[in-house]
Amino acid sequence: MLPETLLCLLNAAFVLAQTRQSIPLNQVTPFTPSNLPNPPIFTIPSANTLSISVALCTANGSPRFFVTNSSAVDDPGPGGGRDVFEIPITGGHGNWTGTFKDGGTLSVVDGRQTSFELGVSDDGDRPIHEVVPGLPVLGDTTSNQAIIFSAAFNKPLIQPPSYPNYTLPPANQSLPSPPSSAPNLTLIISTTLPTSPLTALPQTGCSLSAQRSLGRVTNKTFWMKDQEGWRAQWFLEALTPSTNYTAYVVQDRTKVSGPIFFTTKSASFSCPLVHSLPYCPNIAYSVPLPRPPLGSNAYDATNLPTKITTPLLSYMSNFTTTLTTFACGRDWYSPLVGCDDCQREYRRWLCAITFTRCGEPSPANSNAFTAVPPAPDATGLSAVRPTNGLDGSQLQQVFSALVPQSTDISKARSPTLPAMDSEYSMLLPCLERCTAVDRACPNFLGFTCPDVHFNAAASYGVGYVDSVDDNEGRGVTGTSQDRWGNIWCNGG
Ligand SMILES: *[C@@H]1O[C@H](CO)[C@@H](O)[C@H](O)[C@H]1NC(C)=O
Ligand SMILES: *[C@@H]1O[C@H](CO)[C@@H](O)[C@H](O)[C@H]1NC(C)=O
Ligand SMILES: *[C@@H]1O[C@H](CO)[C@@H](O)[C@H](O)[C@H]1NC(C)=O
Ligand SMILES: *[C@@H]1O[C@H](CO)[C@@H](O)[C@H](O)[C@H]1NC(C)=O
Ligand SMILES: *[C@@H]1O[C@H](CO)[C@@H](O)[C@H](O)[C@H]1NC(C)=O
Ligand SMILES: *[C@@H]1O[C@H](CO)[C@@H](O)[C@H](O)[C@H]1NC(C)=O
Ligand SMILES: *[C@@H]1O[C@H](CO)[C@@H](O)[C@H](O)[C@H]1NC(C)=O
Ligand SMILES: *[C@@H]1O[C@H](CO)[C@@H](O)[C@H](O)[C@H]1NC(C)=O
């Protein structure tokens, strides 16, 4: 016979265990200080592999989370023990993946001041809450607008054409219809300040989603700008000139992409944005054009002057006609690429050349943007020039490929653009736009790029993405633009 007191205790423990809340699979369970059970101990269902994730929703408190997959441990905690694990929290996120053959237990220590979410996922190794690897992408800004893309989320299977019916897309191609089931993506914008409210907060979906986002989204569409796949495309207005912004994209309130940083142009910046052109899907940046027609905030396929589109589409279809004199798909000019690659790269190059890109030296960050025009006969590398450091030492500084333009239509700019009524700076296309065509197209087309060691730097940004000796991705920046808001050359 057990003493009565012990029986009572056993009963209490039994009741306790029974009333413990179980965390449901594959959904988000939110807690606030007022609905956190006492004691804050939860049961985890048994499964082969589970990913447990935690997201803090408020900045106060510093809760700790302990998990065990052993049925012998009743209350996992800082005391440790066999098969007791602390879920490490960084930036407000935590996750732990393991096997739960006999189920498990999760306990929260010091959780009374914080709102947080728990998630238990049996979907492979993917926790419910996470920072996803893909970053949002800045299209471009004006003084008060911006175009921002989400990371690509859906890569459509495009069947390459095959012989004997080797058909390439027409010059005026149309994009496939957007995916029917897209993730719920939300853009969140704040100003970037040393005291930025966002960087002080947990970088989690629930925390970011509770913030007021700056600017006004006037259009959200899905767009496939490149082969990476579909992205959400946001057109933002009502931003402030010359201001640093931070952008996140939150998916389904639980997955965070970002941050990226960008800067709006100064109030006098006058180039409007051009975007959403099916025949030039990569173009989403400011172009030296007159103010868009009344009622439009930018140029798209509906209001772009035919003086620009007619020659562009004519070049494109003439090129395709010439290209397909080759027996595409029956004969191969390369083991790596075919006529479809050649046409795609030519299109991208033609669009980047036709749509001159505007840029601006940033007064606050001359490290990233500086308007020193290369001479028309400039030779060699334009990306890096030695400058004098504060202490007189020689530094290697990276400059954007910016060239000031007068209102005259100069030789460098696209001949099909109408005259611009004010001065602006042109951001030269990256040389890689040209070398990609050279690499993807058959020799008989005679497409060649300017010589890196002779005059390439007069018309292209050279040495940013690829190195001058042609090592792919080994240039001084390795990319045409980065997540910090630097835009080195026009990547098209
Ligand atoms: C608990 O997790 C540890 C570490 O992942 C593992 O070695 C152990 O087999 C698991 N135990 C059970 C019962 O699933
Ligand atoms: C899980 O947590 C670890 C740190 O413990 C972190 O490095 C990793 O990125 C997280 N995984 C995901 C998918 O968020
Ligand atoms: C050839 O391919 C195009 C596009 O892939 C298709 O629209 C067309 O019907 C095909 N023609 C024949 C004869 O198969
Ligand atoms: C391209 O084709 C679409 C129809 O698919 C048409 O509405 C549009 O006017 C064409 N664009 C140009 C510039 O010809
Ligand atoms: C998408 O997410 C937003 C913000 O989290 C929410 O307000 C909206 O209801 C969601 N939409 C759908 C269709 O789930
Ligand atoms: C959003 O932009 C696209 C592409 O320019 C356009 O077709 C669509 O009509 C716009 N939607 C709204 C609501 O303005
Ligand atoms: C395309 O080819 C046609 C016919 O040869 C020619 O008339 C036209 O000028 C060419 N277009 C361009 C932009 O060169
Ligand atoms: C924007 O950020 C850059 C570098 O991150 C900084 O040098 C500059 O002072 C900031 N500009 C403003 C207006 O805050």
Side-chain angles (χ1 to χ4, degrees):
M1 251 313 245
L2 289 166
E4 205 169 311
T5 46
L6 185 53
L7 256 184
C8 270
L9 272 177
L10 279 177
N11 265 339
F14 183 66
V15 169
L16 203 66
Q18 277 224 314
T19 54
R20 274 184 188 175
Q21 190 172 334
S22 172
I23 310 175
L25 275 186
N26 303 323
Q27 67 187 62
V28 170
T29 313
F31 294 98
T32 61
S34 61
N35 77 353
L36 188 65
N38 189 12
I41 303 176
F42 306 91
T43 59
I44 294 167
S46 57
N48 258 339
T49 304
L50 293 177
S51 269
I52 318 266
S53 62
V54 175
L56 307 187
C57 306
T58 54
N60 35 348
S62 29
R64 297 170 71 185
F65 299 85
F66 295 89
V67 63
T68 180
N69 61 356
S70 156
S71 50
V73 180
D74 187 54
D75 178 5
R82 203 181 141 83
D83 288 335
V84 173
F85 307 93
E86 176 162 10
I87 303 178
I89 307 282
T90 36
H93 276 119
N95 71 80
W96 193 85
T97 300
T99 56
F100 289 86
K101 289 193 203 75
D102 311 325
T105 308
L106 182 145
S107 81
V108 186
V109 173
D110 296 335
R112 295 255 155 240
Q113 287 159 347
T114 316
S115 293
F116 61 89
E117 292 180 349
L118 294 178
V120 179
S121 157
D122 65 358
D123 173 20
D125 291 344
R126 296 244 65 90
I128 290 181
H129 301 93
E130 62 176 331
V131 176
V132 293
L135 288 174
V137 176
L138 173 70
D140 202 0
T141 57
T142 64
S143 61
N144 60 2
Q145 302 167 316
I147 296 175
I148 294 175
F149 296 95
S150 69
F153 59 80
N154 183 321
K155 192 170 176 163
L157 269 178
I158 296 172
Q159 209 51 44
S162 62
Y163 190 80
N165 180 19
Y166 197 98
T167 315
L168 290 170
N172 181 9
Q173 68 180 6
S174 44
L175 293 187
S177 32
S180 50
S181 66
N184 185 359
L185 300 168
T186 310
L187 177 68
I188 291 153
I189 304 281
S190 91
T191 44
T192 311
L193 299 169
T195 56
S196 168
L198 288 193
T199 46
L201 291 170
Q203 311 289 291
T204 58
C206 54
S207 164
L208 293 168
S209 299
Q211 306 306 307
R212 193 176 71 90
S213 181
L214 299 177
R216 188 173 67 240
V217 174
T218 55
N219 194 337
K220 179 185 172 191
T221 48
F222 290 109
W223 193 252
M224 195 159 65
K225 72 196 279 284
D226 49 34
Q227 288 180 296
E228 309 263 300
W230 287 99
R231 301 166 190 268
Q233 174 186 262
W234 288 274
F235 196 95
L236 263 175
E237 296 195 84
L239 299 172
T240 309
S242 302
T243 303
N244 289 338
Y245 287 96
T246 307
Y248 291 88
V249 172
V250 175
Q251 180 185 331
D252 302 321
R253 265 183 69 91
T254 54
K255 297 192 190 298
V256 176
S257 159
I260 60 161
F261 304 91
F262 66 91
T263 308
T264 43
K265 306 290 198 305
S266 62
S268 62
F269 186 80
S270 55
C271 299
L273 291 167
V274 176
H275 67 99
S276 303
L277 309 176
Y279 44 85
C280 285
N282 281 83
I283 303 300
Y285 55 75
S286 59
V287 175
L289 286 173
R291 203 183 282 275
L294 214 62
S296 307
N297 50 13
Y299 286 96
D300 63 14
T302 63
N303 61 6
L304 203 62
T306 52
K307 269 205 206 114
I308 304 172
T309 55
T310 306
L312 170 73
L313 295 177
S314 171
Y315 278 121
M316 195 63 219
S317 54
N318 287 6
F319 179 85
T320 307
T321 305
T322 312
L323 172 62
T324 47
T325 59
F326 186 83
C328 297
R330 189 196 72 186
D331 299 346
W332 293 92
Y333 55 87
S334 155
L336 300 174
V337 286
C339 295
D340 53 335
D341 301 295
C342 168
Q343 195 215 30
R344 185 191 63 243
E345 292 304 332
Y346 178 79
R347 184 190 294 278
R348 204 167 162 188
W349 171 84
L350 181 66
C351 294
I353 295 297
T354 301
F355 295 102
T356 299
R357 181 164 179 164
C358 295
E360 193 179 64
S362 159
N365 195 0
S366 55
N367 198 28
F369 302 92
T370 297
V372 182
D377 59 349
T379 59
L381 181 66
S382 70
V384 184
R385 251 165 275 145
T387 47
N388 289 322
L390 286 177
D391 57 358
S393 63
Q394 287 270 298
L395 300 174
Q396 290 282 304
Q397 221 182 350
V398 184
F399 291 86
S400 284
L402 270 178
V403 185
Q405 301 288 296
S406 69
T407 48
D408 298 351
I409 298 180
S410 79
K411 267 185 279 172
R413 54 171 286 151
S414 168
T416 60
L417 296 186
M420 178 73 174
D421 51 13
S422 56
E423 294 185 345
Y424 66 94
S425 289
M426 170 167 77
L427 188 72
L428 297 176
C430 311
L431 182 62
E432 292 71 24
R433 283 282 61 77
C434 189
T435 43
V437 186
D438 199 3
R439 284 181 186 140
C441 290
N443 277 332
F444 81 87
L445 290 172
F447 187 94
T448 50
C449 299
D451 189 335
V452 171
H453 299 288
F454 179 49
N455 62 353
S459 47
Y460 287 97
V462 177
Y464 294 96
V465 184
D466 297 350
S467 69
V468 177
D469 48 14
D470 214 21
N471 261 331
E472 278 184 62
R474 304 296 288 278
V476 291
T477 58
T479 174
S480 60
Q481 64 181 73
D482 64 23
R483 73 185 291 186
W484 311 108
N486 300 308
I487 305 173
W488 310 109
C489 53
N490 178 11

